[in-house]
Amino acid sequence: MKTIEDYSFEGQRALIRVDFNVPLNAQFEITDDTRIRAAIPTISKILDDGGAVVLMSHLGRPKEGPEAKFSLKHLVGHLGKVFDREVKFADDCIGEAANKLSENLEAGEILLLENLRFYKEETKGDENFAKALAVHGDIYVNDAFGTAHRAHASTSIIAQFFDQKACGYVMQAELDNAQKVLANAKKPYTAIMGGAKISDKILIIEQLLNRVDNLIVGGGMSYTFFKALGGNIGSSLCENDKLDLAKELIQKAKELGVNLMLPIDSVIADAFDNNANIEVAMNYAIQDGWMGLDIGPQAAQVFADAIKESKTVLWNGPMGVFEMSNFAAGTQIVAEAIVEATENGAFSLIGGGDSAAAINTFGFGDKVSYVSTGGGALLEYMEGKTLPGVAALA
């Protein structure tokens, strides 16, 4: 697979698939431009070479064709400030008007195409739609790792229409950093799995059990394990159809000599509400009508101690409902321990989604080794699956 370092873009139009699926408020202002900032080095390299840039992305999940709230025109002003130049906008991503704009693009200019998902053909991976998009560039660059697990028109099908194709810096960094926890992990290696459901993480947990020394389980999924072990979990989240699976994972960890760490205690509440009544309880004895919404202080301490001793740390999923201040302590303590381990020389990968949101909420984004923007793509890559967006660049 070639990277953009393998090309000079002088006199060339680069058609770049970026991930500008950014959150907007009611006034259509960007509330978090992390994904835009991540793409700056790739776009800058092409402009500095003397090339022109055509950007394509999706935004949100439009259901029936164009919807004003999902238009990428809301990003034009912000992009203009970021790149200190006028950013042209095509109010369609294919067709004569859009083609004319990209055809006449000069060195140093940027054109943003309208939302790809205004066409159903994008997510269906339609070949004719991909071919229509391909006319916008001389070289195809994919820098949208977050959508690399989808065989969409703009992420994988389009590549066949280009002799010259490459991954951008975001894609390259995501793959390189994933390899550090997949193939080249220093020991002790601790993986932290959080979030609501075992079923979402089963494949990655099975992969990790063959690699890690410690597997920390927190968040809603931990209560399924405690119920499987015969505990009373009150009205905590539980996947009753996954109790046998939880037992199997406990047994497999034992056989492989992996330290599977479950939270001994929880912060419990009598309602899913930040203002609910709160207590701390042992996880095998949560009273009826109460639910665990965060790991407890004992669990947080035990987890933090293991993390601080580690040389490789992978974190995917929060320890509790960190969006509510009364249930954020466990996630914050884990985040602080990861920062301390990193300061002591560990490699730490924060695995996208809620974990990335948490680490940034606490202001630690620049104090860990790498924060993935990948989410589902990172999980699938770590599960050993082939990502269509990556395979298409080979």
Side-chain angles (χ1 to χ4, degrees), residues 56 90-95 98-99 113-119 129 132-133 136:
M56 56 178 177
D91 55 15
D92 200 344
C93 58
I94 57 171
N99 293 354
L113 303 177
E114 183 55 286
N115 194 338
L116 296 164
R117 290 192 187 170
F118 284 171
Y119 288 88
F129 180 66
L133 289 171
H136 294 303

PDB file of all heavy atoms in Angstrom, residues 56 90-95 98-99 113-119 129 132-133 136:
ATOM      1  N   MET A  56     -14.202  14.797  -0.300  1.00  0.00           N
ATOM      2  CA  MET A  56     -15.531  14.161  -0.254  1.00  0.00           C
ATOM      3  C   MET A  56     -15.703  13.470   1.089  1.00  0.00           C
ATOM      4  O   MET A  56     -14.772  12.888   1.637  1.00  0.00           O
ATOM      5  CB  MET A  56     -15.725  13.194  -1.420  1.00  0.00           C
ATOM      6  CG  MET A  56     -14.696  12.100  -1.546  1.00  0.00           C
ATOM      7  SD  MET A  56     -15.089  11.000  -2.934  1.00  0.00           S
ATOM      8  CE  MET A  56     -13.672   9.902  -2.878  1.00  0.00           C
ATOM      9  N   ALA A  90     -19.310  22.489  -3.974  1.00  0.00           N
ATOM     10  CA  ALA A  90     -20.191  21.974  -5.027  1.00  0.00           C
ATOM     11  C   ALA A  90     -21.463  21.471  -4.357  1.00  0.00           C
ATOM     12  O   ALA A  90     -21.393  20.626  -3.461  1.00  0.00           O
ATOM     13  CB  ALA A  90     -19.509  20.832  -5.768  1.00  0.00           C
ATOM     14  N   ASP A  91     -22.617  21.982  -4.774  1.00  0.00           N
ATOM     15  CA  ASP A  91     -23.846  21.598  -4.078  1.00  0.00           C
ATOM     16  C   ASP A  91     -24.402  20.248  -4.544  1.00  0.00           C
ATOM     17  O   ASP A  91     -25.551  19.911  -4.301  1.00  0.00           O
ATOM     18  CB  ASP A  91     -24.915  22.697  -4.139  1.00  0.00           C
ATOM     19  CG  ASP A  91     -25.239  23.116  -5.555  1.00  0.00           C
ATOM     20  OD1 ASP A  91     -24.859  22.378  -6.491  1.00  0.00           O
ATOM     21  OD2 ASP A  91     -25.874  24.177  -5.739  1.00  0.00           O
ATOM     22  N   ASP A  92     -23.548  19.486  -5.189  1.00  0.00           N
ATOM     23  CA  ASP A  92     -23.812  18.087  -5.492  1.00  0.00           C
ATOM     24  C   ASP A  92     -22.444  17.414  -5.526  1.00  0.00           C
ATOM     25  O   ASP A  92     -21.419  18.090  -5.702  1.00  0.00           O
ATOM     26  CB  ASP A  92     -24.521  17.948  -6.846  1.00  0.00           C
ATOM     27  CG  ASP A  92     -25.240  16.603  -7.001  1.00  0.00           C
ATOM     28  OD1 ASP A  92     -24.942  15.680  -6.208  1.00  0.00           O
ATOM     29  OD2 ASP A  92     -26.086  16.474  -7.901  1.00  0.00           O
ATOM     30  N   CYS A  93     -22.402  16.094  -5.356  1.00  0.00           N
ATOM     31  CA  CYS A  93     -21.083  15.433  -5.387  1.00  0.00           C
ATOM     32  C   CYS A  93     -20.774  14.832  -6.750  1.00  0.00           C
ATOM     33  O   CYS A  93     -19.627  14.484  -7.036  1.00  0.00           O
ATOM     34  CB  CYS A  93     -20.977  14.380  -4.286  1.00  0.00           C
ATOM     35  SG  CYS A  93     -22.244  13.097  -4.354  1.00  0.00           S
ATOM     36  N   ILE A  94     -21.800  14.706  -7.592  1.00  0.00           N
ATOM     37  CA  ILE A  94     -21.592  14.246  -8.970  1.00  0.00           C
ATOM     38  C   ILE A  94     -22.390  15.160  -9.896  1.00  0.00           C
ATOM     39  O   ILE A  94     -23.138  16.010  -9.445  1.00  0.00           O
ATOM     40  CB  ILE A  94     -22.026  12.766  -9.168  1.00  0.00           C
ATOM     41  CG1 ILE A  94     -23.505  12.578  -8.783  1.00  0.00           C
ATOM     42  CG2 ILE A  94     -21.144  11.822  -8.392  1.00  0.00           C
ATOM     43  CD1 ILE A  94     -24.080  11.214  -9.138  1.00  0.00           C
ATOM     44  N   GLY A  95     -22.207  14.986 -11.209  1.00  0.00           N
ATOM     45  CA  GLY A  95     -22.971  15.775 -12.169  1.00  0.00           C
ATOM     46  C   GLY A  95     -22.157  16.891 -12.792  1.00  0.00           C
ATOM     47  O   GLY A  95     -21.032  17.186 -12.377  1.00  0.00           O
ATOM     48  N   ALA A  98     -20.742  20.001 -10.630  1.00  0.00           N
ATOM     49  CA  ALA A  98     -19.644  19.579  -9.746  1.00  0.00           C
ATOM     50  C   ALA A  98     -18.395  19.254 -10.571  1.00  0.00           C
ATOM     51  O   ALA A  98     -17.270  19.644 -10.210  1.00  0.00           O
ATOM     52  CB  ALA A  98     -20.063  18.371  -8.925  1.00  0.00           C
ATOM     53  N   ASN A  99     -18.595  18.582 -11.697  1.00  0.00           N
ATOM     54  CA  ASN A  99     -17.462  18.213 -12.557  1.00  0.00           C
ATOM     55  C   ASN A  99     -16.731  19.453 -13.076  1.00  0.00           C
ATOM     56  O   ASN A  99     -15.502  19.473 -13.164  1.00  0.00           O
ATOM     57  CB  ASN A  99     -17.946  17.372 -13.751  1.00  0.00           C
ATOM     58  CG  ASN A  99     -18.465  16.012 -13.321  1.00  0.00           C
ATOM     59  OD1 ASN A  99     -18.371  15.656 -12.149  1.00  0.00           O
ATOM     60  ND2 ASN A  99     -19.033  15.268 -14.261  1.00  0.00           N
ATOM     61  N   LEU A 113     -17.069  18.709  -1.893  1.00  0.00           N
ATOM     62  CA  LEU A 113     -18.271  18.180  -2.544  1.00  0.00           C
ATOM     63  C   LEU A 113     -19.398  18.007  -1.518  1.00  0.00           C
ATOM     64  O   LEU A 113     -19.131  17.817  -0.328  1.00  0.00           O
ATOM     65  CB  LEU A 113     -17.978  16.818  -3.195  1.00  0.00           C
ATOM     66  CG  LEU A 113     -16.849  16.754  -4.232  1.00  0.00           C
ATOM     67  CD1 LEU A 113     -16.659  15.309  -4.691  1.00  0.00           C
ATOM     68  CD2 LEU A 113     -17.145  17.659  -5.425  1.00  0.00           C
ATOM     69  N   GLU A 114     -20.624  18.033  -1.981  1.00  0.00           N
ATOM     70  CA  GLU A 114     -21.775  17.831  -1.098  1.00  0.00           C
ATOM     71  C   GLU A 114     -21.790  16.392  -0.555  1.00  0.00           C
ATOM     72  O   GLU A 114     -21.136  15.487  -1.099  1.00  0.00           O
ATOM     73  CB  GLU A 114     -23.072  18.158  -1.860  1.00  0.00           C
ATOM     74  CG  GLU A 114     -24.357  18.076  -1.055  1.00  0.00           C
ATOM     75  CD  GLU A 114     -24.389  18.930   0.213  1.00  0.00           C
ATOM     76  OE1 GLU A 114     -23.719  18.537   1.191  1.00  0.00           O
ATOM     77  OE2 GLU A 114     -25.100  19.954   0.233  1.00  0.00           O
ATOM     78  N   ASN A 115     -22.515  16.212   0.526  1.00  0.00           N
ATOM     79  CA  ASN A 115     -22.638  14.950   1.256  1.00  0.00           C
ATOM     80  C   ASN A 115     -22.855  13.734   0.341  1.00  0.00           C
ATOM     81  O   ASN A 115     -23.844  13.650  -0.380  1.00  0.00           O
ATOM     82  CB  ASN A 115     -23.808  15.067   2.241  1.00  0.00           C
ATOM     83  CG  ASN A 115     -23.825  13.968   3.278  1.00  0.00           C
ATOM     84  OD1 ASN A 115     -23.248  12.905   3.094  1.00  0.00           O
ATOM     85  ND2 ASN A 115     -24.511  14.233   4.386  1.00  0.00           N
ATOM     86  N   LEU A 116     -21.923  12.794   0.412  1.00  0.00           N
ATOM     87  CA  LEU A 116     -21.997  11.584  -0.413  1.00  0.00           C
ATOM     88  C   LEU A 116     -23.254  10.764  -0.142  1.00  0.00           C
ATOM     89  O   LEU A 116     -23.805  10.119  -1.025  1.00  0.00           O
ATOM     90  CB  LEU A 116     -20.763  10.711  -0.145  1.00  0.00           C
ATOM     91  CG  LEU A 116     -19.404  11.302  -0.534  1.00  0.00           C
ATOM     92  CD1 LEU A 116     -18.289  10.523   0.142  1.00  0.00           C
ATOM     93  CD2 LEU A 116     -19.222  11.295  -2.051  1.00  0.00           C
ATOM     94  N   ARG A 117     -23.697  10.781   1.110  1.00  0.00           N
ATOM     95  CA  ARG A 117     -24.829   9.925   1.487  1.00  0.00           C
ATOM     96  C   ARG A 117     -26.193  10.515   1.117  1.00  0.00           C
ATOM     97  O   ARG A 117     -27.225   9.953   1.468  1.00  0.00           O
ATOM     98  CB  ARG A 117     -24.762   9.567   2.978  1.00  0.00           C
ATOM     99  CG  ARG A 117     -23.609   8.618   3.276  1.00  0.00           C
ATOM    100  CD  ARG A 117     -23.677   8.009   4.651  1.00  0.00           C
ATOM    101  NE  ARG A 117     -22.460   7.242   4.928  1.00  0.00           N
ATOM    102  CZ  ARG A 117     -22.144   6.757   6.120  1.00  0.00           C
ATOM    103  NH1 ARG A 117     -22.961   6.939   7.144  1.00  0.00           N
ATOM    104  NH2 ARG A 117     -21.023   6.082   6.291  1.00  0.00           N
ATOM    105  N   PHE A 118     -26.176  11.625   0.379  1.00  0.00           N
ATOM    106  CA  PHE A 118     -27.427  12.092  -0.218  1.00  0.00           C
ATOM    107  C   PHE A 118     -27.829  11.148  -1.352  1.00  0.00           C
ATOM    108  O   PHE A 118     -28.928  11.226  -1.884  1.00  0.00           O
ATOM    109  CB  PHE A 118     -27.289  13.532  -0.729  1.00  0.00           C
ATOM    110  CG  PHE A 118     -27.323  14.576   0.370  1.00  0.00           C
ATOM    111  CD1 PHE A 118     -27.025  15.900   0.089  1.00  0.00           C
ATOM    112  CD2 PHE A 118     -27.670  14.242   1.673  1.00  0.00           C
ATOM    113  CE1 PHE A 118     -27.065  16.878   1.084  1.00  0.00           C
ATOM    114  CE2 PHE A 118     -27.719  15.199   2.678  1.00  0.00           C
ATOM    115  CZ  PHE A 118     -27.418  16.523   2.384  1.00  0.00           C
ATOM    116  N   TYR A 119     -26.894  10.261  -1.720  1.00  0.00           N
ATOM    117  CA  TYR A 119     -27.170   9.213  -2.705  1.00  0.00           C
ATOM    118  C   TYR A 119     -27.100   7.858  -2.008  1.00  0.00           C
ATOM    119  O   TYR A 119     -26.094   7.539  -1.379  1.00  0.00           O
ATOM    120  CB  TYR A 119     -26.133   9.247  -3.843  1.00  0.00           C
ATOM    121  CG  TYR A 119     -26.289  10.414  -4.792  1.00  0.00           C
ATOM    122  CD1 TYR A 119     -25.665  11.635  -4.530  1.00  0.00           C
ATOM    123  CD2 TYR A 119     -27.046  10.299  -5.955  1.00  0.00           C
ATOM    124  CE1 TYR A 119     -25.806  12.715  -5.398  1.00  0.00           C
ATOM    125  CE2 TYR A 119     -27.187  11.371  -6.833  1.00  0.00           C
ATOM    126  CZ  TYR A 119     -26.564  12.570  -6.544  1.00  0.00           C
ATOM    127  OH  TYR A 119     -26.708  13.634  -7.409  1.00  0.00           O
ATOM    128  N   PHE A 129     -21.824   4.930  -9.513  1.00  0.00           N
ATOM    129  CA  PHE A 129     -21.705   6.117  -8.658  1.00  0.00           C
ATOM    130  C   PHE A 129     -20.226   6.387  -8.346  1.00  0.00           C
ATOM    131  O   PHE A 129     -19.752   7.520  -8.426  1.00  0.00           O
ATOM    132  CB  PHE A 129     -22.512   5.910  -7.370  1.00  0.00           C
ATOM    133  CG  PHE A 129     -22.458   7.084  -6.416  1.00  0.00           C
ATOM    134  CD1 PHE A 129     -23.014   8.314  -6.744  1.00  0.00           C
ATOM    135  CD2 PHE A 129     -21.850   6.948  -5.171  1.00  0.00           C
ATOM    136  CE1 PHE A 129     -22.971   9.385  -5.868  1.00  0.00           C
ATOM    137  CE2 PHE A 129     -21.796   8.018  -4.286  1.00  0.00           C
ATOM    138  CZ  PHE A 129     -22.357   9.240  -4.631  1.00  0.00           C
ATOM    139  N   ALA A 132     -18.563   7.900 -11.295  1.00  0.00           N
ATOM    140  CA  ALA A 132     -18.937   9.315 -11.453  1.00  0.00           C
ATOM    141  C   ALA A 132     -18.141  10.204 -10.486  1.00  0.00           C
ATOM    142  O   ALA A 132     -17.784  11.342 -10.820  1.00  0.00           O
ATOM    143  CB  ALA A 132     -20.433   9.483 -11.229  1.00  0.00           C
ATOM    144  N   LEU A 133     -17.862   9.690  -9.311  1.00  0.00           N
ATOM    145  CA  LEU A 133     -17.048  10.443  -8.343  1.00  0.00           C
ATOM    146  C   LEU A 133     -15.587  10.517  -8.789  1.00  0.00           C
ATOM    147  O   LEU A 133     -14.904  11.524  -8.576  1.00  0.00           O
ATOM    148  CB  LEU A 133     -17.098   9.764  -6.962  1.00  0.00           C
ATOM    149  CG  LEU A 133     -18.400   9.842  -6.165  1.00  0.00           C
ATOM    150  CD1 LEU A 133     -18.317   8.924  -4.949  1.00  0.00           C
ATOM    151  CD2 LEU A 133     -18.678  11.284  -5.717  1.00  0.00           C
ATOM    152  N   HIS A 136     -13.384  13.424 -10.464  1.00  0.00           N
ATOM    153  CA  HIS A 136     -12.946  14.627  -9.750  1.00  0.00           C
ATOM    154  C   HIS A 136     -11.446  14.654  -9.433  1.00  0.00           C
ATOM    155  O   HIS A 136     -10.943  15.680  -8.972  1.00  0.00           O
ATOM    156  CB  HIS A 136     -13.720  14.781  -8.433  1.00  0.00           C
ATOM    157  CG  HIS A 136     -15.178  15.040  -8.602  1.00  0.00           C
ATOM    158  ND1 HIS A 136     -15.677  16.105  -9.314  1.00  0.00           N
ATOM    159  CD2 HIS A 136     -16.273  14.361  -8.136  1.00  0.00           C
ATOM    160  CE1 HIS A 136     -16.999  16.078  -9.277  1.00  0.00           C
ATOM    161  NE2 HIS A 136     -17.383  15.031  -8.578  1.00  0.00           N
TER     162      HIS A 136
END
